[in-house]
Amino acid sequence: MATQTAVNLAGLTRNDYKGAPSTLCQGCGHNSISSQIVAALYELNIVPENVVKFSGIGCSSKSPTYFLNRSFGFNGLHGRMAALATGAMFGDVTLKAIGVSGDGDTASIGMGGFKHMVRRNVPMVYIVENNGVYGLTKGQFSATAEKGLELKRQGRNVFGPVDICMEALASSATFVARSFAGDPKQVKEILKAAFSHNGIAVIDIISPCVTFHNKEDSFHSYTWGKAHESPLHDISYVAPRDEIYIEDYEEGTTQEVTLHDGATLVLKKLEKEYDPCNIYDAYRVIEEAERNHWLLTGIFYIETEAPTLFDSHNLVETPLNRLKPEELRPAAETLDKLMANFAQ
Amino acid sequence: MATQTAVNLAGLTRNDYKGAPSTLCQGCGHNSISSQIVAALYELNIVPENVVKFSGIGCSSKSPTYFLNRSFGFNGLHGRMAALATGAMFGDVTLKAIGVSGDGDTASIGMGGFKHMVRRNVPMVYIVENNGVYGLTKGQFSATAEKGLELKRQGRNVFGPVDICMEALASSATFVARSFAGDPKQVKEILKAAFSHNGIAVIDIISPCVTFHNKEDSFHSYTWGKAHESPLHDISYVAPRDEIYIEDYEEGTTQEVTLHDGATLVLKKLEKEYDPCNIYDAYRVIEEAERNHWLLTGIFYIETEAPTLFDSHNLVETPLNRLKPEELRPAAETLDKLMANFAQ
Amino acid sequence: MSQLQPAAVKDGKTAGKKIVNEFCMTFSTINGSGSATANTILLRSLFRMGIPVSGKNIFPSNIQGLPTWYSIRLSKKGYLARVEKDDIVVAMNPATISTELDFMVPGAVLFYADDIKVDLPREDIVAYPMPVRKLIKEAEVQPNLRDYVANMVYVGIVAQMVGIDMNVIYGTLDHHFKGKKKAVDSNWAIIQSAAKWAQENLEKRDRYFVEKMPPLKDVIMVDGNTASALGSIYGGVQFTAWYPITPASSLAETTIEYLPELRTDPATGKATYAVVQAEDELAAIGMAVGAGWAGLRSMTSTSGPGISLMGEYLGLAYYAEVPVVVWDVQRVGPSTGLPTRTAQGDLTQIHFLSHGDTQFVILLPGDAKECFEFGWKAFDIAERLQTPVFILTDLDLGMNTHMVKRFDYPDRPMDRGKVLWEEDIQKLVDEGKAWGRYLDMDGDGIPYRTIPGNRNVHAAYFTRGTGHDEMARYTEDQHSWENGLNRLKKKLEGNKQLYPKPVVEKMAKAKFAIIGYGSTGPAIQEARDLLAEKGIPTDFLRIRSLPFSDDICDMLHAYDRIYVVEMNRDGQMRQLLAMNYSDCGAKLHQVSHTDGMPLSAEWIFNTILALEEEK
Amino acid sequence: MSQLQPAAVKDGKTAGKKIVNEFCMTFSTINGSGSATANTILLRSLFRMGIPVSGKNIFPSNIQGLPTWYSIRLSKKGYLARVEKDDIVVAMNPATISTELDFMVPGAVLFYADDIKVDLPREDIVAYPMPVRKLIKEAEVQPNLRDYVANMVYVGIVAQMVGIDMNVIYGTLDHHFKGKKKAVDSNWAIIQSAAKWAQENLEKRDRYFVEKMPPLKDVIMVDGNTASALGSIYGGVQFTAWYPITPASSLAETTIEYLPELRTDPATGKATYAVVQAEDELAAIGMAVGAGWAGLRSMTSTSGPGISLMGEYLGLAYYAEVPVVVWDVQRVGPSTGLPTRTAQGDLTQIHFLSHGDTQFVILLPGDAKECFEFGWKAFDIAERLQTPVFILTDLDLGMNTHMVKRFDYPDRPMDRGKVLWEEDIQKLVDEGKAWGRYLDMDGDGIPYRTIPGNRNVHAAYFTRGTGHDEMARYTEDQHSWENGLNRLKKKLEGNKQLYPKPVVEKMAKAKFAIIGYGSTGPAIQEARDLLAEKGIPTDFLRIRSLPFSDDICDMLHAYDRIYVVEMNRDGQMRQLLAMNYSDCGAKLHQVSHTDGMPLSAEWIFNTILALEEEK
Ligand SMILES: Cc1ncc(C[n+]2csc(CCOP(=O)(O)OP(=O)(O)O)c2C)c(N)n1
Ligand SMILES: Cc1ncc(C[n+]2csc(CCOP(=O)(O)OP(=O)(O)O)c2C)c(N)n1
Ligand code: SF4
Ligand code: SF4
Ligand SMILES: [Mg+2]
Ligand SMILES: [Mg+2]
C-alpha cells in the first residue's frame, strides 16, 4: 500500500511548490528563506500558477529559481527589479507577485527604483535578503553594511547602513516588516500576512552570507542574530476561513489586524507597547533600533486601506494580456473621424 | 564725485557675486532663490573663487548660471548631480560646494544618487528648488507633486509626494531644512547656516513655477505658500566674529547652535517646542506636516559633529589637483621590488 | 521712436514680378508669448486655401523670454523642406532683427512691430511697420493677455497684405478654439482691426501674394508625434511607460489625450491600456520590458539621453526575447546638446546599443503618415520576432506640423506572434511534443512563447538575461550559448519580409543614386529636382528599416556613385551601409551635416554638386 | 565503491614517446572548495622550473558547489593560448567526469579521486586513482578544512607523477603563504604524504613529464587586472570610482591593495588618492567625470553591463571635454550573459556609445605588460586630449595568470595636458590674449582648460553638456554647434601620434594578413605557425587603438585578403574596419566566434584554412 502524500486545500503537495536545486552556498540564509516561501504558499493554498516571481541580480536574486517551478519568473537586471515587476504586473493583475532582491540590489544600485515602486504601492511581496554584503561578486560592502565593518580586500566601511524599513516607510509603504532568516517561523508568518496584503509588502530579512560575512560579532551573522534578535511581537496568521484561537490569550496583550483578503493577523505583544497601525511608532522604533544596533523584528507598519497602483488605472476586468485584437484596435470609423478633423 | 560702491569684508561688491542674466520665466521662484544665494555669499564674505557650483538638468538646474560668474560650475546630467559633485569635490576639498537641483531632478530620476550622496555626508549645500512639477519639459508631474493635483495634459496625480526632508533624514543627513522662495529672509538665513555647516546641508525650498503650476490652491504656489507658511522658528545667523544680539530675547525662547566654522545659529522658537538637534522631533514634525498638508519651514535637523566623506579619506594637505607628477608616480625602485615578487 | 519709412524696392531684377504661393515667411517672436496660436492660424488658413505649406518652429530650450522663429513655407509645387532664406519676415523681437535681415532675399518683405528700432541697411527690402501697441490699446485687452494678442495683430496685417482669405481665417479660428465663441470673437476682433488698419494705411509695394488653389485631396495637417501616438493606439498599445523629454514628450502626452476616447470599454468606461509616467528612463524601459514580457503591446518614447540610459534593459530584451517598441524622437546630441533642435544622430548608437553582440530592428518613417503606419506595424514586428523594435523620428518630423496624405486604417489583422495559451500548451503536451521557450520549432529562428497568467501547469518558464538553453534552463554551456546567439541573428535576418522595404524613385538616365531616410526626404526630393534642372537626373532610395532589405544590396550594385544624405556629423547610415556591404563601401559618399536645422534642398544640391565636380 | 583498475595504454601510435613540457593539464573541481590555491601552487612551480606556462580558470557564476576547471598549459615552445584538448585531467568532481573524458587526447592521463565512480569507456587513457579521503583522514585535518586540503592531495600526486621538483613546490608554498609557517607546514605535510603515496603505489604508465628548463629571463607571472591596477597607479591615478562586477572587480580591489603602500606620503601617511565604491555604475562614472573635470587623474573599471549604464555620462564627457579613463574588462554578453566567461563583444558598443555623434579613444592591450603600459599612458592621452579613454581587456586577460615580460617603468614624464593655472591665466590676461575654454588656440583642436580651485578671477568657466561656444557660453547657434563638433573630431583624429601604433609581424612571402587585437594574440601567433607549417606564411597586424592608426590603411592596401580574428559573434573589429576603410571592405574577412572560451589556435587555423579553400 502506497503512502498518501499530504496535500493542501488546493490539492497540491509541497513538491508542487519546489524549485530547482539551489546553487547557493550551503548554509546561506537565502536558502532558508526560499524554504519558508514554499511553506507559506503551500499553507496558504495558493496555486503556483497564480504567482509570478521577480528578482534582480545577486545570490539572493537567484533564489526565485529555487522555489515555485510552476510559476513564471523573471530574473531581471541588477537593481532594476522594481520597474520590471511594475510593468509586468499590468499583464494580469489577478496574479500574486513576489520579488526577491538583495541589499546591494535594492539599497545600492536599486534605491531609486525601489523607492518609487513603494511609493506607487504596487501590490507585491518585496523581500530583501539582507546580508550587508555583495555575495555574488565576492564580498564587497553593500549599502546596508554596518558602520565600522571590516571585510577582506575592502577595508573598513565608514558609512552608516541604509535601513530598508525606514526607506520603505519614508516612501509610504503600506506593509513594512523585518525578520531574520534564523527565525523561520517568524519569516513564514510574516510572509503569509504579506501575501494577504493588497499593496506593497516590504520585508527586510536579515539573511547571513556564510561565505563572506558571517563573523560572530557582526550584525548580519547567524550567531549575532540568534543572540540578539528581539521580536516586537509574536505573529500568528489566521486564514480567512479559520477561527482565531490563540493560546495564552490575555486581555490587552494581543492586537488583531484584518487583512485585505479577510485573513487576520494576530500580534501578541512582547515587552514593548507597539501598534503597527501607528506610523509614528514605526518611525520611532526603527530609528531607535538602528541607533542602538538592535535586531528588532516584526511587522513595523501596516495600512490596509490604501489604494494600489492598479486601483488608479481603472482597468477592464479581463486581464489586459487576454484582450482580443478587436478590443485593442479602435474601429475604422474612429480613424475617419480623426482624419476629418485633421483635414482641410 | 563718484559714489562709492558698497563692498563686503572680502572687498567685493554685490556685482562680483552676480551671474549671467536669467533666462527663466519672470516671477519664477528659482530666480528669487538665486538672489538670496548671491546675498548670502556676499554677506558671508565668501570669495566666489572659493565656491564651486553644480546642478542637474531643469529650469532649477539652469540657476547656477545666474549667480557667481566667477565660480567654476558644472551643469551635469538630469538627476545625476550628486555623483558628479562627489567626484569633483575630491579635486580641491578647500572649495565650498553648492548644488542646485529640481524636484524632478532629485526626487524622480535622481533619487538614488541623492540618497547616497546624503549618506556619504558630502560637505555641500544641496538646494532643491521644489515646484512639484517639471518646468523645463512643460508641466508634467514630478515626484513631489501633491496627491490629487490636476495638470493640463497630465490628468490627476494619484501618488503621495516624496518629501525631500524626510528622505534626507532617512539617509542620515546632518542638516535638513525647508524654506519657501516667497520668504527670502528665511531662505537667506538658512543658506548662511548651511554654508557654515561641515557636511551635507539639504535645503528643500518650495519654489513656485509660475508658468505651469501656480494655482492658488496648490501647495507649490505663491499664493498658497504665502497664506500657509508656518515657520518652526525665527532664524538668525551670527557670523563667527559678531556678537550675538537678538532683539526680544526672552529666557527659554531661543536656542543657539554653534556651527562648524564658529558661527552661531540662533533659533527663536515660535509656537512649537522644537529642538533641531533631536532627530525624533524631526521625524515627527516632518511626518506631521506632510500628513496635514502644512508648509512648515525652518531647520528641522542639524548634527554638527558627524565626519564627512573627506574625513574618512585621510587626504594629503595639498589639494589633490595640485599635486606634482613626482608626488603621483611612485619611484622606479618600487616597481623593481614588485617585479621581483612577480618573477620566478 | 525711430520710425522707419517704407522704402521702395530697388532691386531691378526682381521688381515687378509677382510671386504667388511660392515663398517663405518667418515669424520672429519671443517664446512664452503665445505666438504658437497665431502661427498655427496662419499655417492652417493657407492649408485651407489649398496651398501646400509646411511650418517649422525653431525654439530655444527654455520656457519664456528667448527668441523663437516660426517659418511657413508655401509651395504650389509642393516642396515642403526647409529653405535657408526668408521672403517675408515678421519681426516682433527687437533682439534678433539684425540677424533676420541677413537671411532675407532681395526684394524681401519685413513686417515689424513699430516700437522696434530698425536700422535698415538694405535698400532691397520692403518694410512695413505694424502699430502693435496702438492696436492693442484700442482693442482694450486685459494687461495679462497683451503679449498674446500682439501676435494676432500680425496675423491680421500679414493676411491682409499677402491676401489670405479672411473667411478662411475665421474658420480656422473657430476650428482652433473648438468653437468657443468668446475666444474666437476676441481674437477675430483684433485680427480684423489689424487687417483694416493695414488696408487703410499700408500700400502694397512687394511682390508676394497668396491665391486659392484647388482643394488638397485626402491631405491632413499633423505633427509626427501625434501621428506616432495614433499609430500606437491603432496598433493596440496596451502599456506605455515614459519619462518626459523634449522632443518626445508630446508623443506620450498625445496617447494620454486620445486613449480615453478611443480605448475604453464603452459599457463600463474601463481602460484597455495603462500609461505610467516613470521616475526615469531606466524605469520606463524596465516597465515596458516587463509589460512586453507579460504579453502586452508595450512601448516607451524618449530621445537621445533616454536611449543612452536604456541600453542595459534593451540588451536583456534582445537576449531574453521580449517584444517592446521604443520611439526615439531624435534631437541634437551628443549629451544634452541642443534639446530643441533636430538631428539624425542616434542611428549607430542604437544599432550597437548594449554590450555584447546585439542587434536591433529599426524603423525609419519618412513622414507623419509613416509614423502612423510604422506605429502599428512595429507591434506586429516586435511580437512576431519577440524582440525590441525601435522607431526613429526626429524633432522636425515629430514636433512640426506637416502636410501629409491621410492615414490608412491598418490593412491587416494584428499579428500577436507565436503565443501559446493554455489549450495550445496542453495540445503539445497531449501530442507528446516538447515545448521549450527557446526552441526553434519552425526553423525560422522564432520560438514559441507563453505569457504569465497562462495557468497551464506546463506553461511557466523562467526568464533570464544569463545563459540559457532551448528549454530556458540556466546554462553556461558553450554550445548552448553560441547556438542561442546565432539563432537570434537568424531570427532578425531571416525574416526580413516583416520590415518595411525601401522606397525607390527613379529618373530616366540617372547618373547616380541618393540614399536617405527619415525626415530629410522632402529636402532630398527637392534637391533632386534642382539637380535634374542642371541636367543631372538621379535615383532615390529611401531606407525604411534595418536590418537592411535585400533590395538595398541590389541597388548598391547598380550604381557607380551613391550619395548618402543625412543629418549628422559622422554619416552614420553611410557607416552602416559600408559595414554591411563591404564590396560597395568605396562608392558610398557621405553627404551629412548637422547644425540643428532641418536639411535644406539647397545644401544637399550644392554639396552633391561639389562632390560631383571633385570626382 | 567501484574501484577502477588502472588500464594500460592501448594506443599504439603514441605509446612510448615521451612528452616533455608540452601538454595541458586540467583540474576539475567544485568551486568554493579552495582549489585555487592548489592550482596556483602548481602553476607557479612549473613557472619556477623555467617552463613557459599559462593557466586558465573556467568557473561558474556562483560561489560554491558548481563545476570549475583550471587548465595549465606547459609549452616549451612558448605557446600560451588555450588548447581544446586535455592531456592530463585531474578529476575531483564526480558530476563532470564524463564530459572531461570527451576532451582527452589519445594516451591522456586521468587522475581521479577514488571515491568517484568512473566508468572508463576509453582504453586509450591511463587512469590513476587518488585515495583522497584516506590521505585526508590520515592527515587528521579539521573537518572544515577537509575540502580545501583534498586539493593538496592532487598537488602531491600529480607533482610526483609528472616530476615537478618538490623543493620548488615548497618554495612556491612559502611564497604563496608569505612565509606564514603554520600554513606552509600543514599544506606541505599533505602534499608530501600524497607524493609519497603515489611513489609507493602508482606505477608510471603514461608519457607526460616535466623537466627543468633554463630560467626565464625578465619574465613575471601576473593577471591582467593586477597589471592594469599597477599601470593606473604608476600613471598617477588620483581618483577611482567603481562598482563591483565580475570580471572587473579585482582591478579596483588591487588598486585598493597597492595604493596605501605606493601612494601615501611617507612623512604623514596621508593619501594622494581616493577610491570610492559607488552605489552603481551611473554614479561611478558620474564621480569619475566629476573628478576628471576637477583636475584629477580619474578612472573607473567595469564590465559590459556597467558600460551600458555609463553611456549618458560619457557622452557628456566627450562633449564637455573631460578626461577620464574607463576600463572595460569584457565578459560574455548580451545582457548578464555569461559573467564568468570571456569575450570581445563590447567594441562596437563603445565605439558608438552615447547618443548623437560621439567618438571615443579605445586602447586594446594585448597582454598584461600592455595593461600596465596602457594603464599609465591612458591618463596622458585622456588629459592631453581632454576626452574619455577606454581600455578594453577581457576576462581571460584580466583574471587569468599570464607569463609576460616584466613591466617597464614609464619612459617619459607625465603629460598633464593643456592646463592653465593662476599664473598662466594671468599671463594671458596681461598679454591681452583672449582665453576661452573651447578656443582652439594652437590649431590642433585641443583647447586649454582651467581647473576648479584655480583662484584667478579670470579662470572660472561654466561647464555644460548643452551647446556652447568657444568661450564656454551657452548657445544654440548653428555654427557654434557645428564648429565645436567638428573640432572634437579633429581633436581625436588629428592627434593620432598619441595612440599606440599597431604591432606588425611579418613572414617572408606572406599569402595574406591576419588582424587581431587584445587577448587573442597568443592564439593567433600559434595559428600562424600552424599555417606556416602547412606552407602558408602570413603577416600579423595587432591593432592596439582606435581611432585607427594611419599605418593600418597602408597595411590594408598591401594585401589581397585579410582575416580579422576576434572573439564575438558579429565580427565587430571587421565591421569598424570596413566602415573606416570603405575601399578595403571587400577583402576583410570575418573570423569570429564566441562561446565564452578563449580562442584556440586550432580553431583559428581551421577556420582560416577553410576560408582559404573556399575562395
Ligand atoms: C549593472 C550591474 N552591475 C554590477 C553587477 C555585478 N553584480 C552582480 S550581483 C551584485 C551584488 C549583489 O549583491 P546583493 O544584491 O546584496 O545580493 P547577494 O549576492 O548579497 O545576495 C553585483 C554588484 C551586475 N550584475 N550588473
Ligand atoms: C535623461 C534625461 N531625461 C529627461 C530629460 C528631460 N528633462 C529636462 S529637465 C526635466 C525635468 C526637470 O524638472 P525639475 O528637476 O523639477 O526642474 P524644474 O524645471 O521644475 O525646475 C526633464 C525630464 C533630460 N534632460 N535627461
Ligand atoms: S556567497 Fe553568501 S550570499 Fe552568496 S550564496 Fe554564498 S552564502 Fe549566500
Ligand atoms: S517654467 Fe516654471 S520652473 Fe521653469 S522658469 Fe518658468 S516658472 Fe520657472
Ligand atoms: Mg547582499
Ligand atoms: Mg520642478
Side-chain angles (χ1 to χ4, degrees), chain D residues 481-514:
Chain D
W481 177 265
E482 191 158 22
N483 292 342
L485 218 57
N486 288 341
R487 179 177 57 72
L488 292 183
K489 197 170 185 91
K490 172 178 169 185
K491 186 174 80 165
L492 261 65
E493 302 203 333
N495 294 286
K496 289 190 177 172
Q497 75 287 354
L498 297 173
Y499 315 138
K501 292 202 169 219
V503 172
V504 179
E505 296 191 22
K506 302 209 171 211
M507 289 182 179
K509 301 198 182 143
K511 293 237 187 311
F512 52 79
I514 297 178

Side-chain angles (χ1 to χ4, degrees), chain A residues 23-26 57 59 62 76-78 80 104 108-109 134-138 140-141 153-154 211-212, chain D residues 59 61-64 66 242-246 249-250 253-254 256-257 277-282 309 335-336:
Chain A
T23 62
L24 302 179
C25 303
Q26 269 193 320
I57 298 283
C59 293
K62 286 180 179 221
L77 294 178
H78 188 39
R80 315 287 172 206
S108 299
I109 186 170
Y134 291 174
L136 192 54
T137 52
K138 305 203 162 187
Q140 297 86 4
F141 297 119
R153 298 202 82 169
Q154 312 301 326
T211 302
F212 297 111
Chain D
F59 58 105
S61 174
N62 88 327
I63 303 302
Q64 190 198 86
L66 291 182
W242 68 295
Y243 189 69
I245 188 164
T246 306
S249 300
S250 64
E253 286 168 340
T254 307
I256 298 175
E257 186 183 334
Q277 184 189 314
E279 64 272 23
D280 62 12
E281 290 90 347
L282 293 166
L309 289 167
S335 199
T336 311

Side-chain angles (χ1 to χ4, degrees), chain C residues 401-421:
Chain C
T401 308
H402 304 273
M403 214 182 75
V404 70
K405 287 261 164 194
R406 60 156 281 165
F407 307 157
D408 296 326
Y409 192 73
D411 58 0
R412 63 190 83 156
M414 271 187 202
D415 179 4
R416 303 295 312 249
K418 302 186 185 179
V419 174
L420 303 174
W421 282 104

Side-chain angles (χ1 to χ4, degrees), chain B residues 24-85:
Chain B
L24 303 178
C25 302
Q26 267 193 322
C28 175
H30 306 350
N31 282 334
S32 98
I33 298 169
S34 295
S35 307
Q36 295 316 311
I37 294 171
V38 166
L41 286 160
Y42 173 81
E43 291 176 20
L44 286 169
N45 308 299
I46 293 176
V47 176
E49 286 73 32
N50 290 338
V51 179
V52 56
K53 309 175 289 183
F54 299 97
S55 63
I57 298 282
C59 293
S60 34
S61 293
K62 288 182 177 216
S63 309
T65 339
Y66 312 138
F67 56 82
L68 298 184
N69 254 342
R70 282 167 47 176
S71 305
F72 279 85
F74 201 144
N75 181 200
L77 294 178
H78 188 38
R80 314 290 172 203
M81 172 178 87
L84 188 78

Side-chain angles (χ1 to χ4, degrees), chain B residues 23 62 78 134 140-141 154, chain C residues 61-62 64 243 253 277:
Chain B
T23 62
K62 288 182 177 216
H78 188 38
Y134 292 174
Q140 298 85 3
F141 297 118
Q154 313 300 325
Chain C
S61 174
N62 89 328
Q64 188 198 88
Y243 188 70
E253 285 167 341
Q277 184 189 314

